[in-house]
Amino acid sequence: MRILLIGAPGAGKGTQATLVAERFGITHISSGDLLRKHVTEQTAIGRAAKAYLARGDLVPDAVVMDMLRKPVVAASASGGYVLDGFPRTVAQAEAAYETARGLGVAVEVAVFLEVPAAELTRRLLARGRGADDTPEVIAHRLEVFESKTRPMLDYYADREELITVNGARPVGEVAWSITVQLQRVLKRA
């Protein structure tokens, strides 16, 4: 099973991706974790990304897709993956699909963790990781999610299976809901 986890900052994507990976025996691929690893290890991808990050720019889609290619192909060969952190826009989703389809590793199911903005803000303020967790920055990040990422929901609903889960509930309840809905998808496949 090849799964994409979508959610606003603070929705619990990393937590749920880890639980889904464990439950279904698939690989959790976090684009953010991979990017940080490449930068730390000073790989060619890491060096290319570091220059963008140092300027505060987004790492180009081509660099991120190049970084994800090997882990996604390897995970697909060993049973599947749950990907979080990429894509973040419809254009990225379209480009990723074209690349992944050619490799036979395209996403089969997208899971959207729906959490109200007030709860997302509360969670992000509570975790307070640094300068990027101020009310103003959080509000901006949520606006970017609404304008850039939310449109992907229609894209995935039209192309494959889209599951929407109430992500405002406790972690265990969210994981249970995702599991039940993914099992339904597997039975239909």
Side-chain angles (χ1 to χ4, degrees):
M1 179 174 274
R2 297 182 304 269
I3 305 164
L4 171 64
L5 212 49
I6 303 168
K13 294 181 298 296
T15 298
Q16 293 302 326
T18 299
L19 296 171
V20 166
E22 289 171 3
R23 172 66 179 89
F24 289 94
I26 58 179
T27 303
H28 172 203
I29 301 171
S30 166
S31 62
D33 288 350
L34 277 174
L35 195 56
R36 286 184 286 277
K37 182 178 183 226
H38 277 276
V39 170
T40 299
E41 294 176 359
Q42 299 180 13
T43 65
I45 290 171
R47 288 189 303 273
K50 187 174 183 177
Y52 290 96
L53 296 171
R55 293 191 304 267
D57 293 332
L58 291 176
V59 177
D61 296 351
V63 173
V64 176
M65 290 190 347
D66 188 39
M67 174 188 72
L68 290 172
R69 185 174 287 112
K70 283 182 184 176
V72 165
V73 169
S76 293
S78 67
Y81 62 81
V82 55
L83 174 63
D84 83 84
F86 185 86
R88 292 187 178 183
T89 67
V90 173
Q92 288 176 348
E94 290 169 343
Y97 175 71
E98 288 305 316
T99 300
R101 184 180 64 159
L103 298 169
V105 298
V107 167
E108 297 169 308
V109 181
V111 176
F112 173 52
L113 298 176
E114 188 164 38
V115 181
E119 175 63 9
L120 294 168
T121 301
R122 186 196 67 73
R123 289 178 182 182
L124 292 168
L125 286 171
R127 79 180 184 196
R129 290 183 180 163
D132 64 342
D133 284 328
T134 65
E136 297 77 20
V137 172
I138 290 169
H140 176 70
R141 291 173 67 199
L142 296 179
E143 288 169 12
V144 169
F145 173 82
E146 288 298 321
S147 67
K148 303 284 187 189
T149 305
R150 187 174 283 276
M152 283 191 338
L153 300 178
D154 289 336
Y155 174 78
Y156 283 106
D158 290 343
R159 214 191 66 230
E160 341 18 69
E161 187 87 24
L162 174 67
I163 295 169
T164 300
V165 174
N166 176 355
R169 296 175 295 169
V171 170
E173 289 180 27
V174 175
W176 176 84
S177 181
I178 292 171
T179 298
V180 167
Q181 292 189 62
L182 287 174
Q183 287 172 334
R184 288 183 189 144
V185 170
L186 282 171
K187 285 180 183 174
R188 288 196 306 261

